[in-house]
Amino acid sequence: MDCEKINMGAYNLHFIKTEKFKTISVSVNFRRPVKRQEITARKFLFSLLCDSTKKINSKRLMEIQQEELYLLNLGYKLQIFGNYINSSIDVKILNDKFSEPGITEKSLQFLFDIIFNPNIENDAFNEKNFNIIKNRIETTINSIKDNTDIYSLIKVLEEMDHENPSSFHTWGYIEDLNKITKENLYNYYLNVLNSDIIDIFIVGDIDTNMIKQFFQTNFRINTIKKQKKKLWINYNEYRKRIKKKIVEEDLLQQSKISVALKLINISDFERRYVFPIYAQILGGSAYSRLFQSVREKHSLAYNISAATKAPSSIMLITSGIQKENFEKTLRLIRKELKNITKSISDKELENAKSDILTNIQTITDNPTDIINYYFGREVLNSDEIKDKIKKFKKVTKEDIIKFGNKVKTDTVVLLCGRDKNEKDTD
Amino acid sequence: MKKIQIKNIDESLYYEKLENGMEVYMVPKTTSTETFASFTTKYGGIHNEFKNSDKKKFIKVPTGIAHFLEHKMFEQEDGRDPFSFFAESGTYCNAFTNYYNTSYLFSGNTELENNLNYLLDFVQKPYFTDENVEKEKGIIEQEIKMYDDKADRIIYEKLLYNIFINHPMKYSIAGRVEDIRKITKEDLYTCYNTFYNPNNMFLVLTGNFNPEDIINIIKENQNKKEFEKKEIPILKDYIEPNKVAKKHDQQKMNIDTPYLSFGIKIPLKNIKNMDHKKRNLYFATCFYYLFGETSEFNERITNEKLLDSSLDIEMIDTKDHKIVILVCKSKKYDELLFNIDKHLKDINVDEDFLERRKKVFKSSLIYIYENISDINRNILDNIITYGKCDCDIYDIVDSLNKEELDKMILKLDLSNTSTFIIKPIKIKE
């Protein structure tokens, strides 16, 4: 599966032409260096753009239009990686063969209206739609605590270093939400169009020339931008004494332990190839060391996992436990972190590689994975599939052990219920 | 083996029933690099009272046992667990338990023959000991506690508890902690021997394979094994009244914005003659018309700030009732409930809406047939819900018409409702 990259001056078009799918997927990506105080406005903006346009001025009418376009799927995504934030507007439609002739063109027009023809009045977003989205975002931000998995991870990263972009999250911040007006959000919109780096990915059985022409005529951006800021976050020092923090909330049945670990002075090869294998062996599956120890051997948890945040040089371990088992669980986690620097079996290494290689080999089965892969090629300078496979295969036990010594526990948070839980008095 | 063309989709379904009663469904998709397999027993969270056809008395087992059994199937006598077996070929493996079924699955792009044989072997070879059953209790207790902190799950479970009087859907699939503690290895063997017989099970494969090769592998595997000849187990029939167990209920949790669920228990008595699938498409049409994102009602409650999230619509089938559930977040839940209740009397689906709905039903089927795990899940759900996999869904959708829908609407009794509200511990000023 090849990708044809066309430089359109102010943006790149990436065509992945394939007859594998009954659908066409389009992903329009905007990125810039991340600033904490901009995240909420960005979330607000992309949510509002997908909510209505000048022509179709309510969410209800947008939904009807999507159904008329044979259930066009529309969504937006925000993602922080390293020092950058990327926002995408994603559209998936049925190929004309499975809908009717002309649907692709109509759907693209719908997408362009979302981006270039928002619901604006007097240099400000329409008040009614603005207020609806504001209320939704406010509810979402205030509801972060409802999900203890997410809340405990946010907490541990903020406790580690709340000023570091690796602790920023895309749920938004209430203090920033209150500063957003329909006027300043419109200015931010113009700023995004003019300053962000834009990459567009299209996957499906498409007429490349038709689409290219369509973009030339309709995708009206002409300011050229370059990626300046360094992408990765690196650490060269670490906390010698681990920071521990207990966060108490009312009426929780289960506590969450979250551990944030820094990767110190890692190489590019380690970040891309050794880290995923290491995390897989440690806590990436049901046969991982943490799962086998904390769940299977000690029955302390239903689940425990290790997640990678490679661009930020961070690993996160999280598990749901009983409060009184906190110290015991932490001891077991630390023991496994130590053990993995001593020895690894051939089988562990091979299993972890097999898992990762299957994921790479099956990228071409799914349009979203294809887009993510080519996004990685463009933005993160990732290797081609065949090189990725070669390099993953090259990783040795010694590489993993050496890498394990660069993984340093920084902060631990226990999110738990208060000792005396309130009873429901209603 | 039968080959059935799936209308308008460009795909085919292969079907065969083996001598031992097991059914096999296959949709080859050579554009995919992977194969997805699921092995399902028609035994789930609600099957807590049953008997074999030759026995007089019903056996009653603790709640949560189907799910417990699913966990324990991953324990094998040779000490090697299925996760590590599949891991060797980089194959993903998992299992899940629903109200009506338990399914074991894998997906991967290598070693298909070995993996398929292993899936059949591990699910058909239980190994329960007192020790490994005890060990699992702590793990499942943590799983249940994890769910207990999730308001978006509690809001459904508590509502179903209040909707049903006798039906076992009253209880969550994972069961109650006090019941889990009572489970013994003997209980597990009883359930296993009753429900994991090939004539109560089916396999679904979707992805990159040749159906002829696959059916031969399966036959060869099954022919090597001996199974006790068994009738399909008899499940206890529950007489479930039309009224709900409790009309209003609430609890407090550590959340910010209140959650609201509203359930309608609709008797099927007057509309049982209609094809089940068709009836469900009509139900979906009615309730999306009333409350869906394209409804004026949804727009109004959003504009009036009665709704603080999306309004989700879920539907559950039981033998005698259709349960329709609305779930959302709302600070003004009383006012919203008043509006929902009033609006229920207003089902008058217009022709345009019905036509658009038909387009949506057809399009969503094409989206499903884009992805092998979605196809697999779709077939599995169809077999569990309808007892078969329809390949003529387009024809059913085409046959939907306003006249028939209007007649059905007249027969709907929407008077039995229940609400559950989760309130924050601290109410904001």
Side-chain angles (χ1 to χ4, degrees), chain A residues 20-23 58-60 63-64 67-73 92-94 98 100 128 131-132 135-136 139 142-143 145-149 249-254 256 286-287 292 295-296 299-302 320-322 347 351 354-355 358 361-362 364-367 418 422 424-426, chain B residues 8-11 29 31-34 71 83-84 87-91 108-109 135-136 138-139 142-143 145-150 250-257 259 293-296 299 302-303 305 307-310 329 331 356-357 359-360 363-364 366-367 369-371 423 425-426 428:
Chain A
K20 268 183 104 159
F21 307 113
K22 297 177 167 68
T23 57
S58 79
K59 180 73 181 159
R60 184 174 82 86
E63 292 284 344
I64 292 176
E67 292 188 353
E68 292 293 0
L69 293 167
Y70 292 82
L71 206 56
L72 174 148
N73 278 297
K92 195 174 186 182
I93 55 170
L94 294 183
F98 292 93
E100 62 181 85
K128 195 166 122 192
N131 287 334
I132 290 171
N135 179 45
R136 284 285 159 89
T139 308
N142 288 332
S143 300
K145 276 188 181 180
D146 296 7
N147 188 326
T148 51
D149 297 314
E249 291 288 336
D250 291 323
L251 291 183
L252 287 188
Q253 301 294 319
Q254 189 181 61
K256 296 278 173 196
Y287 54 88
Q292 287 299 323
R295 170 170 154 151
E296 293 300 314
S299 293
L300 293 173
Y302 168 64
I321 55 168
Q322 284 310 101
K347 201 173 160 194
N351 285 357
S354 293
D355 253 353
T358 301
Q361 284 154 352
T362 54
T364 56
D365 280 0
N366 178 328
R418 284 185 222 289
E422 286 179 37
D424 192 344
T425 48
D426 272 13
Chain B
N8 298 60
I9 303 279
D10 260 6
E11 312 280 356
K29 206 167 160 64
T31 52
S32 169
T33 59
E34 277 190 292
H71 272 235
F83 286 120
S84 0
E88 281 172 23
S89 58
T91 302
N109 63 343
K135 187 200 84 180
E136 206 64 27
I139 296 170
Q142 285 309 317
E143 187 179 0
K145 286 192 170 158
M146 174 179 86
Y147 299 143
D148 283 347
D149 283 332
K150 293 190 189 300
Q250 59 182 18
Q251 83 172 60
K252 283 188 175 179
M253 282 181 82
N254 186 38
I255 52 164
D256 176 78
T257 309
Y259 282 71
E293 287 194 304
T294 60
S295 70
E296 284 172 15
E299 184 170 53
T302 305
N303 290 345
K305 286 196 171 179
L307 189 64
D308 297 307
S309 68
S310 57
K329 290 183 189 175
K331 291 184 208 81
R356 212 171 59 235
R357 217 55 227 160
K359 200 180 208 179
V360 168
S363 305
S364 45
I366 302 170
Y367 279 110
Y369 271 82
E370 172 96 334
N371 177 307
K423 293 181 181 177
I425 302 164
K426 294 166 199 139
K428 278 189 196 161

Side-chain angles (χ1 to χ4, degrees), chain A residues 136-369:
Chain A
R136 284 285 159 89
I137 294 181
E138 190 181 338
T139 308
T140 311
I141 295 173
N142 288 332
S143 300
I144 293 175
K145 276 188 181 180
D146 296 7
N147 188 326
T148 51
D149 297 314
I150 293 167
Y151 183 53
S152 74
L153 288 177
I154 289 176
K155 273 290 179 205
V156 77
L157 288 169
E158 286 182 348
E159 284 299 327
M160 187 176 80
D161 182 355
H162 70 278
E163 284 176 357
N164 191 305
S166 61
S167 77
F168 300 167
H169 62 80
T170 56
W171 296 85
Y173 300 89
I174 210 80
E175 63 273 23
D176 296 328
L177 182 67
N178 296 329
K179 291 179 201 151
I180 299 169
T181 64
K182 59 188 198 303
E183 290 80 15
N184 66 25
L185 193 64
Y186 178 61
N187 285 334
Y188 184 68
Y189 161 73
L190 296 176
N191 184 282
V192 165
L193 284 190
N194 287 319
S195 325
D196 275 29
I197 305 171
I198 301 171
D199 279 281
I200 300 156
F201 300 85
I202 304 171
V203 180
D205 189 8
I206 39 173
D207 177 346
T208 326
N209 283 331
M210 181 280 272
I211 292 191
K212 189 183 158 192
Q213 262 184 7
F214 206 75
F215 268 85
Q216 252 162 356
T217 323
N218 296 289
F219 204 88
R220 303 176 304 267
I221 288 182
N222 45 27
T223 45
I224 296 175
K225 291 99 25 175
K226 284 240 160 64
Q227 190 163 310
K228 286 180 193 142
K229 193 163 176 146
K230 231 174 63 191
L231 196 71
W232 315 115
I233 298 171
N234 290 308
Y235 300 102
N236 45 31
E237 51 188 37
Y238 59 97
R239 221 187 282 277
K240 299 284 183 294
R241 236 180 108 186
I242 299 171
K243 183 178 177 185
K244 271 194 211 172
K245 172 98 182 172
I246 311 275
V247 180
E248 289 191 324
E249 291 288 336
D250 291 323
L251 291 183
L252 287 188
Q253 301 294 319
Q254 189 181 61
S255 301
K256 296 278 173 196
I257 177 172
S258 295
V259 186
L261 305 101
K262 279 182 181 167
L263 318 179
I264 308 298
N265 288 329
I266 55 167
S267 69
D268 189 60
F269 181 77
E270 283 177 317
R271 186 194 310 279
R272 293 178 195 272
Y273 296 100
V274 185
F275 185 25
I277 296 179
Y278 170 88
Q280 185 71 12
I281 294 173
L282 184 74
S285 71
Y287 54 88
S288 69
R289 293 201 175 183
L290 289 173
F291 195 91
Q292 287 299 323
S293 164
V294 175
R295 170 170 154 151
E296 293 300 314
K297 198 168 165 202
H298 294 276
S299 293
L300 293 173
Y302 168 64
N303 206 359
I304 180 158
S305 61
T308 61
K309 274 171 79 95
S312 304
S313 305
I314 296 280
M315 182 170 73
L316 292 163
I317 296 172
T318 180
S319 180
I321 55 168
Q322 284 310 101
K323 188 178 179 178
E324 60 271 20
N325 294 327
F326 172 53
E327 289 296 341
K328 187 176 175 189
T329 311
L330 185 57
R331 264 200 311 278
L332 291 171
I333 292 172
R334 300 202 69 194
K335 193 173 155 195
E336 292 309 325
L337 285 164
K338 205 168 168 188
N339 285 345
I340 202 171
T341 61
K342 290 180 186 154
S343 73
I344 289 155
S345 71
D346 290 333
K347 201 173 160 194
E348 278 180 310
L349 182 66
E350 287 317 308
N351 285 357
K353 283 184 183 178
S354 293
D355 253 353
I356 291 167
L357 292 178
T358 301
N359 286 338
I360 296 172
Q361 284 154 352
T362 54
I363 283 172
T364 56
D365 280 0
N366 178 328
T368 309
D369 290 347

Side-chain angles (χ1 to χ4, degrees), chain B residues 51-193:
Chain B
K51 64 179 185 112
N52 288 319
S53 53
D54 53 340
K55 297 273 170 22
K56 274 191 177 165
K57 264 192 161 179
F58 277 94
I59 301 165
K60 192 171 181 177
V61 290
T63 64
I65 197 159
H67 171 250
F68 199 108
L69 182 50
E70 173 227 301
H71 272 235
K72 286 331 291 172
M73 289 312 298
F74 285 81
E75 202 93 43
Q76 293 289 293
E77 196 170 2
D78 60 7
R80 184 188 202 191
D81 74 291
F83 286 120
S84 0
F85 174 86
F86 286 109
E88 281 172 23
S89 58
T91 302
Y92 169 78
C93 141
N94 211 339
F96 63 88
T97 309
N98 278 345
Y99 286 116
Y100 294 102
N101 62 292
T102 309
S103 301
Y104 301 84
L105 49 96
F106 74 77
S107 76
N109 63 343
T110 53
E111 302 285 336
L112 177 58
E113 182 171 351
N114 280 343
N115 287 336
L116 182 55
N117 273 315
Y118 190 83
L119 175 71
L120 290 165
D121 292 348
F122 95 81
V123 177
Q124 292 184 326
K125 201 174 178 205
Y127 178 64
F128 311 134
T129 63
D130 292 330
E131 197 193 0
N132 73 29
V133 169
E134 272 321 297
K135 187 200 84 180
E136 206 64 27
K137 291 181 181 173
I139 296 170
I140 293 185
E141 206 171 314
Q142 285 309 317
E143 187 179 0
I144 294 172
K145 286 192 170 158
M146 174 179 86
Y147 299 143
D148 283 347
D149 283 332
K150 293 190 189 300
D152 51 5
R153 194 174 165 116
I154 295 293
I155 195 77
Y156 283 101
E157 288 189 352
K158 291 286 171 77
L159 183 76
L160 290 176
Y161 184 82
N162 288 338
I163 281 179
F164 291 109
I165 294 171
N166 300 320
H167 196 281
M169 214 176 258
K170 196 173 175 64
Y171 303 105
S172 79
I173 293 161
R176 290 171 294 197
V177 171
E178 61 269 31
D179 278 358
I180 300 303
R181 290 192 182 135
K182 285 185 223 152
I183 292 174
T184 63
K185 78 163 195 267
E186 287 74 22
D187 291 335
L188 294 182
Y189 275 117
T190 304
C191 294
Y192 182 88
N193 291 329

Side-chain angles (χ1 to χ4, degrees), chain B residues 348-393:
Chain B
N348 185 14
V349 181
D350 57 78
E351 201 77 62
D352 283 354
F353 183 86
L354 180 62
E355 285 312 308
R356 212 171 59 235
R357 217 55 227 160
K358 286 158 86 164
K359 200 180 208 179
V360 168
F361 290 142
K362 289 179 181 176
S363 305
S364 45
L365 193 71
I366 302 170
Y367 279 110
I368 287 171
Y369 271 82
E370 172 96 334
N371 177 307
I372 58 165
S373 77
D374 292 346
I375 305 172
N376 202 300
R377 189 59 194 254
N378 182 257
I379 295 172
L380 197 163
D381 288 344
N382 269 282
I383 296 164
I384 292 298
T385 312
Y386 305 113
K388 59 181 178 180
C389 177
D390 273 318
C391 292
D392 54 354
I393 176 83

